[in-house]
Amino acid sequence: MVRLISRRKAVVSAASVSALSGLSACASTPGFNGNLDADVVNIPVIRARADRIDRVTVCLRPFRAAGPRLEVEQVGRKTVVHNYGHGGSGWSLSWGTAQLAIERAQFNVGQKIGVLGCGAIGLTTAIAAQQAGAKVTIYAEAAMPMVRSARASGSWTPSSRIAKTDTMSSEFSARWDVMARTSFARYQTLLGLPGNPIEWDTMYGLHATHPTPRRPDPVGFAELGDRLVDIEPQGNVIPVNDPRLPYDQVHKKPNLIFNVATYADYLMRQFFERGGRIETLTLHHPSDITALPESTFINCTGYGARALWNDNTIVPVRGQIAWLIPQPEALCSLHFDDIYVVSRRDGIVVQWLGNDMGQGFNDPNETPDPAEARKAISRLGQLYKAMGYNV
Ligand SMILES: Cc1cc2nc3c(=O)[nH]c(=O)nc-3n(C[C@H](O)[C@H](O)[C@H](O)COP(=O)(O)OP(=O)(O)OC[C@H]3O[C@@H](n4cnc5c(N)ncnc54)[C@H](O)[C@@H]3O)c2cc1C
C-alpha cells in the first residue's frame, strides 16, 4: 500500500524547489514523511506557472479519414508519389511511410529525384531516398524548423488522428502496421546520439478520480495503438490510495520522445552530408513541377497538399501548445484528465485536450489562443498543488 504525506508537510516552497534543482516528490525529499513508494510519487516537478510560458504555438494536423495518401500519379511526363496526410502521427510514422513511398517511386541508383516539402515527412523521405541511392533535391516553401512539424508535441503517437474507423480500409490498416513497426525499429537506432534527439522518458498516466466529463469522440478516430503491445514497453499500473490526491492510480511506462529541435538539426545535417540540396519555392499548381528537372517526385507537402493538390479530403485538426521554459531536471511525460505534458530537453509541451477528441477538428485557425494556454498551465499547476507543491 502507498502511504502518503501530510499535506502541511508536503507543501514545498517555491524557494526550496528552486534550491533543490531536480526535486521530485520522492521519499528522500525534505517535507515528506518517508516510506513512500517511489514508483508512485516520484513525479518530476514541472513549474507550471504562466510566467514561465515562453511561446504558444499552433499546428494543423493533416488528417484524412482514409489515412495518409500513398499513391502514384502522372503529371504530364512526371511521376508523383504522394506521401501526405499523416494526421497526428507524422513524426511517429515518418520512417515507415518514407520506406513505402520510396518503394513506389521505383528509381534507379544515381537517379535524381525531387521531394516536395521539408517537414517531418519530407526530410525523412529525402534521407531514405538518399540511402536507397538517389540524388535528392527538396523543393519547399519553408524548411525545418520553420514548418508545422516543428510545432508538434514530439511523442511516439503512431495512431493519433490517423484515420476514421468507418472509412479505414483493410489495406490501410495493414499499411499502418508496416509504417509503425518500420519507424519504431528505426527510432531504436537513433537513441544515444549527441544531444539525444530521440530518447525514452517516463510517462505518468494519472487516472483522475473525478475526471472532467468528456463527450464521446464525435469524429470516430481509429484506435490502432493496441496492436503494438508486442513491441512497446507497457509499464505498470500502480494504485494510489489517498483521497487527498486527485488521481487513484498511476500508469507508469516508458515513452519514446523526439527532442524536435535537436532531431530536426540532426536530420538536416544528415541530408546535407549526403549531398542533398534544398530549393526554396512555392508551388501553386501540380503542373509547376513540369518546370523542374527531375522526372520523379515524392509529394510530402502535408496540410499544404490540400490547396496545392486541391485535395479536400485533408481536414485540418488544430492543436495548440503552451511551451514552458525547459527543465532538464524534470524530463518526463504526463497525462492527467484533460492535460497532456511532454517535458522535453528543448521545451515543455503543455496541451489542453479539450472537451472531446474532436477538439480542433476542421479548424484551420493557426492563431494562438493565450487564454487556452493559460488555462492549460493553470490546470497543471492545480495538479501539482494537489500533490503538495507550490510550483
Ligand atoms: C499540436 C500537435 C502535436 C503533435 N504532436 C505529434 C507527436 O507528438 N507525434 C507525432 O508523430 N505527430 C505529432 N503531430 C502531427 C505532426 O506534427 C504532423 O503529422 C506532421 O507535422 C506532418 O508533417 P509533414 O511533413 O507532412 O507536414 P509539414 O511539417 O507541414 O511540412 C510540409 C512541407 O511542405 C511544404 N509545402 C507545403 N505546401 C507547399 C507548396 N504549395 N509549395 C512548396 N512547399 C510546400 C512546407 O513548406 C513544408 O516544408 C502533432 C500535431 C499537432 C498539431
Side-chain angles (χ1 to χ4, degrees):
M1 191 183 108
V2 180
R3 267 173 284 167
L4 279 162
I5 44 188
S6 104
R7 176 175 294 279
R8 195 172 51 80
K9 280 187 176 175
V11 171
V12 181
S13 73
S16 65
V17 165
S18 88
L20 292 162
S21 178
L23 177 71
S24 297
C26 63
S28 59
T29 301
F32 289 86
N33 63 357
N35 295 322
L36 300 176
D37 183 335
D39 266 351
V40 173
V41 296
N42 195 16
I43 299 172
V45 179
I46 292 166
R47 291 166 203 165
R49 299 199 314 255
D51 66 356
R52 291 182 65 84
I53 298 176
D54 66 4
R55 64 197 191 281
V56 179
T57 60
V58 176
C59 166
L60 303 178
R61 302 170 181 93
F63 174 77
R64 295 180 80 240
R69 186 172 183 201
L70 192 67
E71 286 167 0
V72 184
E73 181 181 340
Q74 288 300 130
V75 177
R77 296 159 71 122
K78 312 279 182 175
T79 301
V80 179
V81 179
H82 296 296
N83 187 21
Y84 64 74
H86 295 80
S89 306
W91 280 107
S92 307
L93 297 176
S94 58
W95 292 109
T97 195
Q99 195 52 47
L100 295 178
I102 283 161
E103 285 164 15
R104 283 156 178 75
Q106 293 187 338
F107 51 80
N108 300 316
V109 171
Q111 187 178 327
K112 291 182 179 173
I113 71 152
V115 170
L116 311 179
C118 194
I121 303 296
L123 253 185
T124 48
T125 299
I127 294 168
Q130 290 174 320
Q131 289 171 331
K135 291 187 165 55
V136 183
T137 298
I138 291 177
Y139 299 95
E141 197 167 35
M144 195 77 81
M146 307 312 289
V147 291
R148 292 192 176 97
S149 294
R151 308 195 288 267
S153 312
S155 273
W156 170 251
T157 56
S159 74
S160 167
R161 299 167 181 90
I162 192 64
K164 273 175 73 171
T165 305
D166 59 359
T167 41
M168 181 176 67
S169 65
S170 53
E171 181 279 325
F172 169 69
S173 166
R175 172 157 46 101
W176 178 85
D177 221 67
V178 173
M179 290 191 292
R181 287 170 190 275
T182 305
S183 271
F184 190 78
R186 182 65 178 260
Y187 277 122
Q188 307 317 307
T189 71
L190 299 174
L191 295 166
L193 293 171
N196 296 296
I198 309 298
E199 65 185 326
W200 287 97
D201 75 4
T202 298
M203 158 66 83
Y204 298 89
L206 309 181
H207 182 263
T209 316
H210 303 292
T212 307
R214 293 194 96 205
R215 293 187 290 250
D217 170 6
V219 181
F221 289 116
E223 285 292 344
L224 300 164
D226 287 353
R227 299 189 192 181
L228 301 177
V229 287
D230 58 316
I231 57 169
E232 291 176 342
Q234 296 301 301
N236 53 328
V237 176
I238 306 152
V240 177
N241 299 308
D242 189 299
R244 291 166 298 187
L245 290 174
Y247 50 89
D248 52 22
Q249 64 181 37
V250 180
H251 185 183
K252 187 178 175 189
K253 65 169 194 155
N255 191 42
L256 190 67
I257 65 150
F258 319 129
N259 289 303
V260 172
T262 325
Y263 184 39
D265 181 59
Y266 167 82
L267 292 174
M268 290 290 272
R269 280 187 288 110
Q270 290 289 310
F271 177 67
F272 288 128
E273 280 170 16
R274 290 180 164 83
R277 292 174 49 242
I278 296 181
E279 273 195 34
T280 306
L281 60 75
T282 301
L283 298 162
H284 298 284
H285 189 270
S287 61
D288 289 354
I289 62 170
T290 56
L292 302 175
E294 294 82 0
S295 57
T296 300
F297 294 86
I298 306 181
N299 177 14
C300 309
T301 46
Y303 182 67
R306 184 180 156 100
L308 176 60
W309 236 266
N310 195 22
D311 183 352
N312 292 330
T313 65
I314 299 184
V315 178
V317 185
R318 182 186 194 277
Q320 172 169 299
I321 295 174
W323 295 86
L324 296 172
I325 297 168
Q327 284 180 244
E329 78 285 4
L331 303 177
C332 68
S333 301
L334 192 149
H335 180 200
F336 171 70
D337 201 18
D338 52 4
I339 296 296
Y340 179 70
V341 179
V342 187
S343 173
R344 297 180 351 208
R345 290 174 194 273
D346 53 0
I348 301 176
V349 168
V350 183
Q351 267 182 282
W352 177 63
L353 300 177
N355 298 320
D356 59 49
M357 273 297 286
Q359 170 80 2
F361 190 78
N362 205 10
D363 182 354
N365 178 7
E366 291 193 83
T367 306
D369 176 351
E372 182 186 310
R374 283 193 300 274
K375 174 179 178 170
I377 302 302
S378 160
R379 300 272 293 116
L380 184 61
Q382 284 164 17
L383 169 67
Y384 279 106
K385 195 167 177 197
M387 285 195 249
Y389 290 103
N390 288 324
V391 293

